[in-house]
Amino acid sequence: MSDDYSPDRSDSAASALSVVTRRKASDLTARGEPMVWAMGGSLAFGLMMILGFLALIFWNGLTAFWPKPVEVVTMTDGHVIAGEPVRTESYKPQKDALEALPANLRASIEAHGGMSTRTLYRIGNYDFYSNDFQWVPVFNVKKVERPGDLTLVERQEWGVFIGRLVSISEDGKQMSISALDAEHDKARALRGKRIAIETDEVGSINRQINALRLSVRRAEINYGQGSPEANAEAGRAAAETAKLNLDFDRLSQKAAAARAAEDALKIKVAEIGGETREFGLADFVRYYDANALSLLQKFGVYFSRWYEFLTADPREANTEGGVWPAIFGTLVMTVVMSLLVAPFGVVAALYLREYAKQGRIVSLVRICVNNLAGVPSIVYGVFGLGFFAYVLGGSIDRMFFPERLPNPTFGTGGLLWAALTLALLTVPVVIVATEEALSAVPRSMREGSLACGASKWQTIKWIVLPRAMPGIMTGLILAMARGAGEVAPLMIVGVVKLAPALPIDGMFPFIHLERSFMHLGFHIYDVGFQSRNSEAGRSMVFVTALVLMVLVLALNAVSIRVRNRLKRRFAGDKF
């Protein structure tokens, strides 16, 4: 009997073993291990892309202002150039250039597949050569040197100068080049004094004269041309204008004297080929012996360039100088946009979540809000120009500034309309985030508040909103990050290439939301694609991108800090 039973046991064991074997074979798929590895690999790849992008921006941005050596390159034909080496690359020379080479060089290039190398030099001296950069093929180089007596000069106009400083003079009297530092400080002080007179004092008088002219125009509109009121206002304005014109003449003479003293200081320079010219010493922004700098001196040049970049106005078609107006304009625009989008987004989300009767209409509204986030940003720019600037701004001009027409005040692009346009663009983000934060507040808290006798608004104000605030701040952070980097709508509704007048200054009414402004994102586009020489703005693109990233991170850090403080207040709640 046991013999008959034994085969049955062995069959059962084999069957069980086969089941176990099949299960072991399917365990990897059943547990999702391949998908876990795929998701982990995708995450790692995404992080590598982000880190690579950040490393590219930070490396190129942080090294852009480091002073480079100046090389003197002697060509095989005897031609000599001097410049900063920018980069070296491989390229395929043209056929006629290869045929002009000696046989041994041509054979060497053909042995490498017809490829050779060349170096791009920043030769500067645009007023001498009508070019800022020059490619030098390696097969045309006879000798490369780095002499210690070459000076690199950064100028107000015409870009950098590379060559030798010969002499300085004041009113034609020659002085030793050893007095350059003291005379340069004197010339820069005279230039600063003249600019302060022309921009601040003379500018203030011009604004007062224009205000008097507009007051006469307003009186003529209100009371009629030739009316006693208009004539009285015209007489008062004429008397005040006469006094201001006297002050204007006095300041103009003062500015002319400062300019004459500034122009009296000259410096004679010679480029590498020996050609000499004379420039105003005040036009020199910075100069240094490029090949004789110690490490400490290099750091001095590096940080002085950063200080100028962060605090000065642009020059040379925005490819040199600073970006302070763009930094200030970006910051003010982002703050104004945040102040506008926060109340609209929160109020709309409160109504949809707490007051509106849930149904098809509310669902349709939510679908429309979500779809708004996918509308191309340039469409918002067209809407902002048409509705905000032309309709609202034109109405404001006709009602409050009729004397300035046909020159628009609010009826054109400006900071306020740009901020409103971006607020409209980012409001769906705030609405969605606020709705999610409101829905995360436990229903029991609402019911407890209502059971204690609080009204619905009191419950929302004191119970729901404080506990939803961290989620609301998250939506605001996302809106700020998107709005600060948008460029396409701003190109239509207010941003300009150069706007030295800041939207906030010391002139009444101190905040000028109607003014055009500069923006870091548009500055990147302008320098990278609209400058006369893309190579001249290459480094500025990376530096400006770095500053924009740091500015957005700083604004987000402040918002995140506020959000975290709110979270700690309600640590036991879940959002």
Side-chain angles (χ1 to χ4, degrees):
M1 187 176 223
S2 62
D3 293 339
D4 294 338
Y5 181 72
S6 180
D8 295 338
R9 290 185 60 187
S10 63
D11 291 344
S12 300
S15 177
L17 182 60
S18 64
V19 171
V20 172
T21 303
R22 285 197 300 272
R23 286 179 179 173
K24 285 183 178 180
S26 61
D27 279 349
L28 191 63
T29 305
R31 290 199 302 266
E33 296 292 342
M35 291 304 299
V36 172
W37 279 100
M39 290 186 289
S42 300
L43 175 61
F45 181 72
L47 290 176
M48 289 173 60
M49 292 179 61
I50 294 173
L51 293 176
F53 166 76
L54 293 176
L56 176 69
I57 296 295
F58 273 84
W59 174 256
N60 287 279
L62 291 175
T63 59
F65 291 147
W66 186 256
K68 302 179 180 68
V70 171
E71 296 181 351
V72 176
V73 183
T74 304
M75 311 290 188
T76 54
D77 60 358
H79 182 61
V80 180
I81 68 165
E84 293 180 308
V86 177
R87 67 177 186 273
T88 300
E89 68 178 22
S90 298
Y91 83 112
K92 188 172 184 177
Q94 294 181 355
K95 185 177 180 180
D96 55 349
L98 286 176
E99 292 176 350
L101 293 177
N104 59 337
L105 288 178
R106 186 166 62 250
S108 176
I109 293 174
E110 291 174 352
H112 290 84
M115 300 297 293
S116 182
T117 59
R118 61 181 180 178
T119 301
L120 180 66
Y121 284 92
R122 184 192 187 194
I123 59 175
N125 302 5
Y126 188 82
D127 44 341
F128 287 83
Y129 312 138
S130 299
N131 199 6
D132 291 303
F133 294 82
Q134 181 174 338
W135 285 103
V136 178
V138 66
F139 51 77
N140 282 348
V141 176
K142 178 180 179 181
K143 182 174 57 174
V144 177
E145 300 173 299
R146 292 185 179 181
D149 61 341
L150 284 181
T151 301
L152 187 144
V153 181
E154 298 174 17
R155 302 179 289 179
Q156 290 287 344
E157 298 176 352
W158 301 107
V160 301
F161 167 81
I162 297 176
R164 294 178 174 89
L165 308 182
V166 179
S167 63
I168 54 177
S169 62
E170 184 174 8
D171 288 329
K173 181 181 178 182
Q174 297 293 322
M175 291 182 289
S176 171
I177 201 67
S178 60
L180 176 60
D181 291 344
E183 295 301 318
H184 180 252
D185 291 340
K186 177 181 176 181
R188 297 293 292 177
L190 290 171
R191 179 184 178 87
K193 178 181 178 181
R194 174 181 60 81
I195 291 176
I197 294 172
E198 293 176 345
T199 57
D200 297 335
E201 299 181 52
V202 175
S204 175
I205 290 177
N206 287 330
R207 287 191 294 269
Q208 294 179 57
I209 292 176
N210 187 56
L212 290 171
R213 180 186 64 82
L214 292 176
S215 68
V216 175
R217 174 66 177 156
R218 176 178 282 272
E220 291 175 349
I221 293 174
N222 292 337
Y223 303 106
Q225 190 172 5
S227 64
E229 293 84 354
N231 292 334
E233 182 62 26
R236 185 189 70 83
E240 292 292 332
T241 302
K243 295 179 182 178
L244 291 172
N245 283 330
L246 293 176
D247 292 336
F248 180 86
D249 294 338
R250 176 181 58 82
L251 291 173
S252 297
Q253 295 174 2
K254 188 177 178 181
R259 180 180 286 277
E262 173 189 335
D263 292 340
L265 291 166
K266 301 288 187 179
I267 183 165
K268 190 176 183 181
V269 300
E271 52 92 35
I272 194 65
E275 182 181 351
T276 61
R277 290 188 186 179
E278 200 172 48
F279 301 113
L281 188 55
D283 291 333
F284 282 21
V285 177
R286 186 181 298 104
Y287 55 88
Y288 59 88
D289 296 330
N291 298 326
L293 292 177
S294 64
L295 182 61
L296 186 61
Q297 290 172 329
K298 288 182 179 180
F299 274 107
V301 173
Y302 178 75
F303 288 116
S304 68
R305 284 174 169 175
W306 267 109
Y307 179 78
E308 179 193 16
F309 183 75
L310 296 176
T311 60
D313 292 340
R315 63 175 191 274
E316 287 296 296
N318 291 350
T319 59
E320 294 184 12
V323 291
W324 167 243
I327 294 174
F328 193 82
T330 304
L331 178 63
V332 173
M333 188 275 300
T334 305
V335 171
V336 174
M337 179 206 70
S338 302
L339 294 177
L340 291 172
V341 73
F344 284 111
V346 172
V347 169
L350 273 175
Y351 181 80
L352 289 175
R353 177 60 58 176
E354 302 292 337
Y355 287 97
K357 183 179 180 181
Q358 304 303 310
R360 292 183 177 179
I361 296 179
V362 173
S363 299
L364 181 62
V365 170
R366 286 198 177 97
I367 293 173
C368 293
V369 168
N370 292 329
N371 288 338
L372 281 176
V375 175
S377 59
I378 192 68
V379 176
Y380 286 96
V382 174
F383 174 81
L385 181 66
F387 180 73
F388 292 136
Y390 291 161
V391 177
L392 292 183
S395 300
I396 292 174
D397 286 349
R398 288 189 294 271
M399 292 175 61
F400 300 103
F401 306 102
E403 69 278 5
R404 299 187 181 185
L405 294 174
N407 296 324
T409 302
F410 282 91
T412 186
L415 178 65
L416 177 60
W417 307 138
L420 274 172
T421 301
L422 290 186
L424 187 64
L425 179 117
T426 56
V427 74
V429 178
V430 179
I431 292 176
V432 172
T434 302
E435 278 206 79
E436 293 298 326
L438 293 173
S439 63
V441 178
R443 184 176 180 84
S444 58
M445 289 187 174
R446 292 179 171 84
E447 294 173 348
S449 175
L450 294 172
C452 290
S455 65
K456 187 168 186 175
W457 169 243
Q458 289 174 328
T459 299
I460 294 173
K461 181 179 179 181
W462 300 110
I463 303 298
V464 178
L465 272 180
R467 286 159 178 80
M469 195 56 68
I472 297 173
M473 289 298 299
T474 299
L476 185 59
I477 291 169
L478 295 174
M480 288 173 55
R482 183 180 180 187
E486 283 290 346
V487 177
L490 299 181
M491 295 170 64
I492 301 178
V493 288
V495 75
V496 292
K497 179 184 180 70
L498 183 63
L502 300 179
I504 298 177
D505 56 22
M507 185 180 67
F508 182 82
F510 312 119
I511 300 177
H512 310 276
L513 298 181
E514 77 282 1
R515 287 182 181 174
S516 298
F517 64 102
M518 294 183 67
H519 188 273
L520 287 172
F522 181 77
H523 188 79
I524 294 171
Y525 162 77
D526 178 66
V527 172
F529 301 99
Q530 300 297 311
S531 59
R532 61 177 172 83
N533 193 326
S534 59
E535 289 292 343
R538 184 185 181 95
S539 59
M540 294 292 286
V541 168
F542 285 105
V543 178
T544 308
L546 175 61
V547 172
L548 177 59
M549 288 176 55
V550 171
L551 180 62
V552 173
L553 289 175
L555 291 172
N556 288 349
V558 173
S559 302
I560 290 171
R561 182 175 178 82
V562 174
R563 183 187 66 182
N564 291 340
R565 291 185 63 181
L566 292 171
K567 278 186 176 181
R568 286 195 294 269
R569 273 184 74 185
F570 307 101
D573 296 335
K574 181 180 179 182
F575 297 98

